[in-house]
Amino acid sequence: MASLQLQLPTNSFIFNHKLKGFDYQSRNHSFLCNNARTIKASIAAPPFRIFEPPQLEESQSELEPADPDFYKIGYVRSVRAYGVEFMEGPNGFGVYAAKDIEPLRRARVIMEIPLELMLTIREKLPWMFFPDIVPVGHPIFDIINSTNPETDWDLRLACLLLFAFDLEGNFWQLYGDFLPSAEECTSLLLATEEDLLELQDEDLASTMKDQQQRALKFWERNWHSAVPLKIKRLARDPERFIWALSIAQSRCINLQMRIGALVQDSDMLIPYADMLNHSFQPNCFFHWRFKDRMLEVMINAGQRIRKGDEMTINYMSGKKNNMFMQRYGFSSSANPWDVIEFNSNAKIHLDSFLSVFNISGLPQEYYHNNRLSNDGDDFVDGAVIAAARTLPTWSDGDIPLVPSVERKAARELQEECQQMLAEFPTTSDQDQQILDSMPQARRTLEAALKYVSVTSETVSEEGDPVFRDLSRPDTVLTL
């Protein structure tokens, strides 16, 4: 690292008082998969899906140790971390390995966060809070109770977060200093109408406009001029509430926890654990330790970790990029679940397509078969796996393999991809040039431009190397 390493005391939260503090900039989600072309999708063969650790997209010189106060406020409240350190880069915080960790047959604990520091609310009626920080008769409970039990989980959590910020002596008054400001969030709840137009996705833009109106109406209904001061000061303007809602949506962890004999599904804001970034091939997961009410962050069994590797989790499994944009404000062409709608009747022979990229497995469990690979490459791009799930295909059970028919179908689908690309006003390279020319661009505008770039890159990936190779006679192969 460019700066001093944090020294890790045995069985304690990482903290080094000798490090000099620096001007803190609030964290914005820095996702492992934001820059699409360098990230690869999950590829290990079953039954043991042991993934290689993801590569850092940022150079080590761009990362700085977190402010020592960030460690101290957790250390004095029994937060513990083992063998990891929090680092801050241009795009926000991340959690990184402070040492090499050899693979073990059992999962390994790297973080422990006590329930007392969390903000939790039961997903279903009756509303229950652990810890119960809402006093009896406080009007914030009436606001929470007025929400729709089926759909308004994020509104309830945002209200709880705002209340915690106002509660004297609450941990979140300190931890809130390390959350991203409204200017540094990528959540589309904070996007302008201009930013939403840049998405070039009418459905997503319409959804986000509806979400913004939903938040505004909720604030107007509950923060009118007649409300008591104890409520009014929580969110004096709608921007404050919408910011809290964006934090609730992007950092919520849905977890089943056990408190004594009570087992419940809860929406939770968990400090420090919310600094783990996303990957489609995560090396960590969450576990609830009920005996002492702790959340454990654990390394996958059999996972090899190198010093400097980022510790990641999977935010959502099996979701397309538009869902990631809606909830978190990021997208990635490494997403193996994204799809492209084809209108052509042309069909590619599935075995031929898979054999070109050494892909094996059933549709829901495709993986890169490195035993068939000649070049030793252990990874395959997520867009290729997505194509395997979404391309119109046929198999040997339909008609015999005819190379000339195969090549004709490949050319037709390639032409359709080229037509799709022609509908984009800019290429991915031009989108990047626009971003480079706007160093002070709004984070929501940046996220929108990246979303368009990711979509066009995925179409290009499927329309160029995939079909070009299949249209050559010497590459029409079967497994």
Side-chain angles (χ1 to χ4, degrees):
M1 298 295 176
S3 301
L4 295 174
Q5 293 282 344
L6 293 178
Q7 304 300 318
L8 303 179
T10 304
N11 296 331
S12 65
F13 194 76
I14 45 179
F15 172 64
N16 186 344
H17 66 276
K18 295 181 180 180
L19 287 173
K20 293 183 177 180
F22 51 87
D23 291 336
Y24 175 76
Q25 295 182 353
S26 297
R27 172 188 179 270
N28 181 38
H29 277 297
S30 167
F31 296 94
L32 182 66
C33 59
N34 269 356
N35 297 325
R37 293 297 94 194
T38 58
I39 302 300
K40 306 299 180 179
S42 62
I43 46 76
F48 302 105
R49 295 180 178 272
I50 302 175
F51 304 131
E52 289 296 323
Q55 299 297 316
L56 294 178
E57 291 193 16
E58 298 174 322
S59 67
Q60 291 184 346
S61 62
E62 294 179 300
L63 298 173
E64 295 288 341
D67 190 318
D69 286 343
F70 180 71
Y71 300 97
K72 181 183 292 185
I73 62 174
Y75 173 73
V76 298
R77 291 169 174 83
S78 301
V79 175
R80 296 291 182 265
Y82 312 96
V84 297
E85 55 190 346
F86 293 86
M87 305 294 290
E88 186 181 15
N91 294 317
F93 272 105
V95 185
Y96 296 85
K99 62 181 181 180
D100 293 344
I101 301 176
E102 295 301 318
L104 296 177
R105 298 181 63 181
R106 299 182 62 182
R108 181 195 298 256
V109 177
I110 59 171
M111 291 176 63
E112 297 174 326
I113 302 102
L115 175 65
E116 289 71 24
L117 300 189
M118 306 176 193
L119 297 178
T120 75
I121 182 171
R122 191 170 185 262
E123 289 186 354
K124 298 180 180 179
L125 286 169
W127 309 130
M128 302 180 69
F129 312 96
F130 290 99
D132 190 359
I133 63 174
V134 180
V136 176
H138 196 285
I140 193 66
F141 182 80
D142 294 331
I143 296 177
I144 291 174
N145 201 40
S146 70
T147 59
N148 187 323
E150 301 298 326
T151 60
D152 293 344
W153 64 269
D154 52 344
L155 297 177
R156 293 189 288 273
L157 200 57
C159 289
L160 193 60
L161 177 63
L162 289 171
F163 178 74
F165 287 149
D166 188 63
L167 188 63
E168 184 177 356
N170 189 272
F171 171 79
W172 284 83
Q173 288 186 325
L174 300 174
Y175 193 75
D177 292 339
F178 298 93
L179 297 177
S181 66
E183 293 74 22
E184 294 164 327
C185 283
T186 59
S187 172
L188 295 183
L189 284 172
L190 302 165
T192 64
E193 187 170 352
E194 177 187 359
D195 297 341
L196 296 179
L197 288 175
E198 291 292 344
L199 290 170
Q200 299 181 39
D201 185 330
E202 292 183 2
D203 291 338
L204 179 57
S206 177
T207 298
M208 295 315 304
K209 288 179 182 178
D210 291 342
Q211 289 286 322
Q212 291 173 341
Q213 286 298 313
R214 166 177 170 259
L216 181 60
K217 290 179 180 179
F218 183 82
W219 179 84
E220 291 175 344
R221 185 170 67 249
N222 296 288
W223 270 268
H224 51 81
S225 58
V227 298
L229 179 60
K230 65 173 69 175
I231 292 296
K232 185 179 295 185
R233 68 190 183 201
L234 301 184
R236 294 184 179 274
D237 52 66
E239 290 76 16
R240 173 69 172 175
F241 179 77
I242 294 176
W243 170 81
L245 185 62
S246 70
I247 294 295
Q249 286 189 1
S250 61
R251 293 173 179 266
C252 175
I253 296 172
N254 306 109
L255 196 67
Q256 186 178 82
M257 66 176 182
R258 174 179 167 186
I259 305 294
L262 177 64
V263 178
Q264 62 179 16
D265 294 319
S266 299
D267 298 317
M268 314 172 72
L269 291 176
I270 306 177
Y272 298 99
D274 65 355
M275 295 297 177
L276 288 160
N277 289 322
H278 168 79
S279 173
F280 292 107
Q281 48 175 17
N283 48 26
C284 295
F285 66 96
F286 296 137
H287 174 258
W288 180 255
R289 196 171 73 204
F290 72 90
K291 64 179 180 180
D292 52 358
R293 301 182 181 185
M294 286 273 188
L295 178 87
E296 296 178 324
V297 181
M298 308 188 77
I299 297 176
N300 296 330
Q303 183 83 55
R304 181 184 299 275
I305 303 294
R306 297 299 185 191
K307 182 178 180 180
D309 288 341
E310 184 165 14
M311 317 306 291
T312 57
I313 57 173
N314 192 338
Y315 288 0
M316 293 191 294
S317 179
K319 299 296 183 181
K320 297 188 292 183
N321 276 332
N322 61 338
M323 293 303 298
F324 278 94
M325 283 295 292
Q326 180 179 328
R327 176 81 178 267
Y328 302 103
F330 81 99
S331 57
S332 170
S333 62
N335 186 350
W337 299 102
D338 213 26
V339 297
I340 294 176
E341 300 296 336
F342 288 94
N343 297 317
S344 172
N345 293 324
K347 293 185 177 181
I348 292 293
H349 190 280
L350 182 60
D351 288 344
S352 297
F353 177 84
L354 298 180
S355 65
V356 169
F357 298 98
N358 303 308
I359 299 175
S360 300
L362 298 175
Q364 298 301 316
E365 298 179 351
Y366 283 139
Y367 65 94
H368 184 259
N369 194 331
N370 53 19
R371 288 176 294 182
L372 299 177
S373 177
N374 295 324
D375 57 8
D377 182 16
D378 290 337
F379 295 95
V380 61
D381 196 284
V384 179
I385 292 183
R389 292 193 174 98
T390 61
L391 282 174
T393 58
W394 57 276
S395 62
D396 287 335
D398 300 320
I399 57 176
L401 175 63
V402 181
S404 60
V405 173
E406 183 81 336
R407 290 193 292 272
K408 180 181 178 182
R411 285 193 294 268
E412 289 181 12
L413 288 173
Q414 184 181 33
E415 291 173 359
E416 184 173 358
C417 284
Q418 291 170 347
Q419 292 174 359
M420 292 180 185
L421 287 172
E423 296 177 359
F424 288 98
T426 57
T427 66
S428 58
D429 290 338
Q430 290 171 332
D431 290 335
Q432 188 59 51
Q433 291 175 3
I434 294 174
L435 287 175
D436 292 341
S437 67
M438 302 170 62
Q440 303 301 321
R442 295 184 302 276
R443 299 308 301 271
T444 49
L445 175 60
E446 181 181 349
L449 290 174
K450 286 184 177 181
Y451 177 70
V452 177
S453 178
V454 162
T455 304
S456 62
E457 283 182 357
T458 303
V459 176
S460 177
E461 177 74 13
E462 297 183 10
D464 187 12
V466 175
F467 298 126
R468 184 184 64 233
D469 290 345
L470 283 173
S471 63
R472 290 171 47 196
D474 58 336
T475 58
V476 180
L477 307 173
T478 58
L479 293 176

